[in-house]
Every structure is written in structure tokens, then in C-alpha cells.
Amino acid sequence: MVALTGLAVTVEAYWRLPCSLIQTGRIDPVINPGMISPHVHKIVGASNINPNSTYDTLQTAGCTSCSIQADKSAYWAPQLYYNHPNGTYEEVGNSGMTVYYLGRGDNRTNAIPFPPGFRMSSGDNFARSFNYTAKTYLETRPIADRVTFACLDYNHPTPEHSGLNQTKCPDGLRAQVHFQSCWNGKDLYVDDNSQRHVAYMSGIDNGVCPPTHPVQLLHLFFEVLYSMDSVTQSDGGHFTFSNGDPTGYGWHGVFINGWDIPTLTSAIKTCAYNEGSDGNIGACPVLQASVDDNYDTTCPPRAQLINEPTRGLIAAMPGCNVQTFGPEPATDDTQFCPPGSPLPSINKIDTSKTPKPVTVRAVGAYQSLGCYTDNNTYGRALNGPRFSDTKNMTVENCVTFCENKNFAFAGLEYAQECYCGRSLSFGSKACDAQSCNMPCKGNSSQVCGAGGELSVYQKGGKARRAASLE
């Protein structure tokens, strides 16, 4: 969903960037650079994100938890908690976000890439009610329309809405925010956090830029899905965001640019106005060239940087945030700790590069035969016993399973599936070793096949000799 309720329907031209979680904690190098942020964020993107992150440091990240590896940007939004009546707080499940890059605006064909060092935030952290007064250029829309929520119930759909007023959402609560797409052309950021270096288009997600901000940028849009059913709501508690906001009007998103500029420039020219692509990155060759389909396993969440409890069930909300229910805005004294308050320690920043998984050559008497196709016209390549393990699958576990059942062949597929057999089926063929590239769920340094390809092992076999299989 990428259009504001009530706006005119426009032709979709965009790409959709899926991202998994990389870090959780009080980190915000845009609003609170060099310090611990007042509230907890869920962060996706560059693996080395930290309070001091800049464009240059993001370029050195070992990986990104977003699918396009040429994008070392970072994106974040507040964590959602459930406040139980006994005063404890429980983390609401969330595994990442989807970021949309849209070719929008009357001047969209002249849009430029985000420059190095560019960053921005959208949404008002202090808002606790809908602001009908502040309007976009030409008085077209309330700026508060930038943030909306969708309470997802696929059996009984309901309209999108403002505020956190619907929480019985069996298919999740989707929070979404539109960013400013007009730039003043000179300031990469402004230190007072006013965001006056950027402005919204007249229709927020479309329209014209004001004369004060004439430079058209790509339109950025976040979708963040919170799993409301991950907590039990029957005890009479309520939901609140990590900034002390139980209303939802203070929800916001933050972006710091980390793109490879030539890649983004080419993508804008060739793909941002590619009507009919339905957001598919595969329809944009310059983006597809750096896609890692296994981004969530090759760049998994990093150890928490800020050393304090934020996950699961916790005794208190991190920081000194006081819940404020509005309609008046929250104030600094409800967001920030008093001077001299103890601060949590900061753990070592993860600057490691995530190594690509490698093929295990042998496990006991079982030798690697390489990568072979599966699911052909003759059925499965290995037709014996099988099992799947989404957390602990390794080459050793699969080989041991097949050996204990007296099968000479073992094969691993899709990072988590193990198959056994007496022989490979007639239709299975050897393929390029690079085709098997998914890291095992239980050991990311090992290859466990891919989608439709098996990492095959044979007892007493000889590596890469297909003749021994026929």
C-alpha cells in the first residue's frame, strides 16, 4: 500500500526494498548524534549502525540487512511495547520493514539521488493528537497525514487511520510514514532537527514542491509491521511506543543515506519511472546486480549495542520516557533523562564483514558431490526420509540423520531442509557450484543448498563426479 487515503490514484512506478532487523536499541545518529537516544528504535540496513554513524562510516559496513547490497543506508522507527497492568513492558514482535522508493511528484523526471551525507526524519516525536493546523504547500493536506496505520484483518478489512486506536489486528498492525521529497538544494541536514532542509510535496505523496525547496527527490515511504498477537492483550494493558507515546501520533521514521551514488543515480534514470514493474527489484537490472536474496541470513541481527534490556518482557521502558496521552504535545522533560542520570554502557561496534558461506567438503565418510538440481520432471532428487529445521540445520546434522537411517545420499536445500536417498533421481543434474549459496540456518559459515538446488553428499563419493550418480 503506497498511497494516502483520499489522494488521487496515480500510476505506480517504484521499487520495493525488503529489509530485516539489524539492531535494536537507543540509537539515532540523525536526531541524537554521538549520544544515546532517548528511546528505543528498530533499525534495518547497514550492519555497523551506531550513534556516530555517517555516510562514510556506513560505506565500511560488512553487510546490509536490506536486499540491495549497494544500499548501505540505515532506516529506523520506534519500538512498540505492551504495557501490562503490573507495570512491566513486553516487546511487540517485529522483524524489519519494507522501504519504498517511488517516482512521484509533478517534477519526478528531474529527481536527483540523495547526496552523500543526506539524512532526514518524518513524523513528530512529541505529537499526541492529530494536528489539523499545519498544512503542506498550497494548503493541500494536513502534514499529519504523513503517518497512518493499517489494522490488518484479511477476513474483515478496515480503512487506514491516524493514531493507535485499533489494536485487535489478527494479521498485524502496519505503521507507515511518507517522507519529504523536496530539498532546498544546499543543506544535507540542519542541526536543530527542524527538518527545514526538506519539505513535503503539496499532496505529501505527490504534487509540487514549494519554491523554497525546489529540488525533487525520490519519494521515500516506510511500512513497519508489528505482530500484535505476539503478546496477550487480555489483562487490560495497553500498547505504547518506546517514546512514551500510547496515541500513535508521535510515531516517526528516520533515514540516513548510505547508497552507492552511481547505482542510485542509474536506478533513478532507468527504474524509478518504470510503470508496471509492481515494485519488483528484478525488473531493474542495475539494482538486481547487487541483490542478495538471502539478506536476512547473510546479514543477521547484530548483538545489541546499547547495554540495557529492550527485548522480551522488561521491568521498565528504556530511557526516562513518561507516557503522555495528549492531546497536548509531549515535552522535553517527559522524553529526556535529567542531567547526571546514569547511562548504559555501549558495547563494541560490529565492524566485521559477514563471510560468504562455503561448502563443507566432507563429514565423516560422506563426501561433497557439489550442487545438483531438485524438483525436476522426475520428482525430488532424493526420495527418502526428510526433515526441516528453521534454527539448527547444519551439514553435520543432515548427514548424521541420513546415515542413521542407512541412506548413502544426503542433500540440503533452502538453508533448512534435509533430504535422504539411495541415489539421485535420473532428472537431477549437476549445476554450477555457485548456485548453492544459502547459509545453513544453524551455521551461517556453511552452504545448505538454495531454492531448487541441493548441496549433495554421498557416502564414499568423490567430489563433483556426476558419473558416479548415474
Side-chain angles (χ1 to χ4, degrees):
M1 179 67 184
V2 291
L4 285 169
T5 303
L7 292 185
V9 176
T10 58
V11 175
E12 297 302 326
Y14 63 97
W15 67 80
R16 182 176 51 247
L17 178 66
C19 300
S20 60
L21 186 67
I22 196 67
Q23 181 65 253
T24 300
R26 288 199 283 151
I27 299 170
D28 190 333
V30 173
I31 305 298
N32 307 108
M35 64 182 70
I36 295 176
S37 170
H39 55 268
V40 174
H41 293 109
K42 289 287 192 178
I43 308 174
V44 305
S47 58
N48 64 348
I49 184 69
N50 67 83
N52 297 299
S53 289
T54 65
Y55 178 84
D56 290 336
T57 64
L58 294 178
Q59 297 308 294
T60 69
C63 62
T64 171
S65 67
C66 298
S67 65
I68 300 174
Q69 298 302 293
D71 177 20
K72 295 290 181 64
S73 303
Y75 313 83
W76 58 92
Q79 168 62 29
L80 181 62
Y81 289 103
Y82 184 78
N83 187 191
H84 291 279
N86 65 3
T88 60
Y89 291 82
E90 187 171 356
E91 173 194 25
V92 178
N94 165 260
S95 58
M97 72 170 68
T98 302
V99 180
Y100 291 78
Y101 282 82
L102 300 112
R104 295 280 183 88
D106 289 8
N107 194 33
R108 58 187 177 274
T109 56
N110 291 315
I112 67 168
F114 300 112
F118 182 86
R119 49 210 189 274
M120 62 178 170
S121 174
S122 182
D124 183 354
N125 172 56
F126 294 94
R128 296 296 181 268
S129 59
F130 191 89
N131 184 343
Y132 291 93
T133 302
K135 299 287 184 68
T136 61
Y137 176 57
L138 301 179
E139 301 290 311
T140 307
R141 302 281 298 185
I143 290 175
D145 275 343
R146 61 194 164 189
V147 172
T148 54
F149 295 89
C151 185
L152 302 180
D153 182 346
Y154 297 132
N155 292 322
H156 303 93
T158 57
E160 295 176 9
H161 55 276
S162 299
L164 191 61
N165 50 39
Q166 296 181 40
T167 59
K168 300 292 186 181
C169 312
D171 297 302
L173 177 74
R174 190 178 67 212
Q176 44 206 30
V177 58
H178 289 273
F179 279 75
Q180 304 90 323
S181 305
C182 308
W183 180 40
N184 67 10
K186 57 181 181 179
D187 296 308
L188 299 175
Y189 194 68
V190 285
D191 292 337
D192 61 3
N193 292 327
S194 65
Q195 311 304 314
R196 54 188 166 81
H197 64 307
V198 288
Y200 295 94
M201 292 184 288
S202 58
I204 297 182
D205 74 337
N206 224 322
V208 297
C209 287
T212 53
H213 297 75
V215 181
Q216 183 77 52
L217 301 169
L218 277 179
H219 185 69
L220 201 61
F221 175 73
F222 290 2
E223 286 182 344
V224 181
L225 186 65
Y226 298 100
S227 301
M228 309 302 270
D229 285 352
S230 66
V231 299
T232 300
Q233 304 180 39
S234 59
D235 63 1
H238 65 273
F239 290 94
T240 182
F241 285 105
S242 57
N243 57 342
D245 175 25
T247 71
Y249 293 107
W251 194 79
H252 53 278
V254 189
F255 164 69
I256 180 170
N257 182 33
W259 273 94
D260 173 72
I261 301 302
T263 299
L264 182 58
T265 301
S266 181
I268 291 174
K269 290 179 179 178
T270 60
C271 307
Y273 319 109
N274 209 7
E275 296 174 4
S277 67
D278 195 31
N280 181 13
I281 293 173
C284 183
V286 67
L287 296 178
Q288 182 61 33
S290 74
V291 163
D292 180 356
D293 290 328
N294 309 317
Y295 60 92
D296 57 337
T297 52
T298 57
C299 197
R302 290 327 196 226
Q304 192 163 300
L305 194 60
I306 309 301
N307 192 19
E308 64 183 350
T310 64
R311 310 293 303 274
L313 186 65
I314 56 179
M317 197 152 55
C320 300
N321 297 282
V322 177
Q323 291 188 64
T324 52
F325 294 79
E328 299 80 12
T331 56
D332 281 349
D333 61 345
T334 66
Q335 297 270 306
F336 295 92
C337 293
S341 299
L343 294 174
S345 60
I346 300 178
N347 297 320
K348 184 178 179 181
I349 298 169
D350 187 342
T351 58
S352 63
K353 291 188 178 295
T354 303
K356 291 185 177 181
V358 297
T359 298
V360 175
R361 294 303 172 191
V363 177
Y366 284 74
Q367 300 290 321
S368 170
L369 298 177
C371 190
Y372 283 77
T373 59
D374 195 15
N375 288 330
N376 56 72
T377 56
Y378 299 93
R380 287 281 184 187
L382 296 172
N383 294 309
R386 66 190 67 178
F387 80 101
S388 179
D389 190 333
T390 61
K391 294 184 178 180
N392 301 305
M393 181 62 72
T394 64
V395 174
E396 294 84 355
N397 289 349
C398 180
V399 166
T400 300
F401 173 79
C402 294
E403 185 175 29
N404 288 342
K405 294 184 177 296
N406 297 314
F407 284 85
F409 285 83
L412 298 104
E413 183 173 354
Y414 205 60
Q416 63 192 37
E417 299 170 1
C418 174
Y419 298 86
C420 308
R422 306 290 183 196
S423 62
L424 280 166
S425 69
F426 177 76
S428 182
K429 301 295 182 183
C431 52
D432 187 276
Q434 300 303 314
S435 297
C436 287
N437 55 21
M438 294 188 72
C440 300
K441 290 291 188 179
N443 186 342
S444 61
S445 70
Q446 299 178 345
V447 169
C448 277
E453 283 87 26
L454 283 166
S455 297
V456 178
Y457 293 80
Q458 183 187 11
K459 194 170 188 177
K462 296 181 179 180
R464 299 300 300 169
R465 289 183 62 85
S468 66
L469 307 179
E470 298 177 358

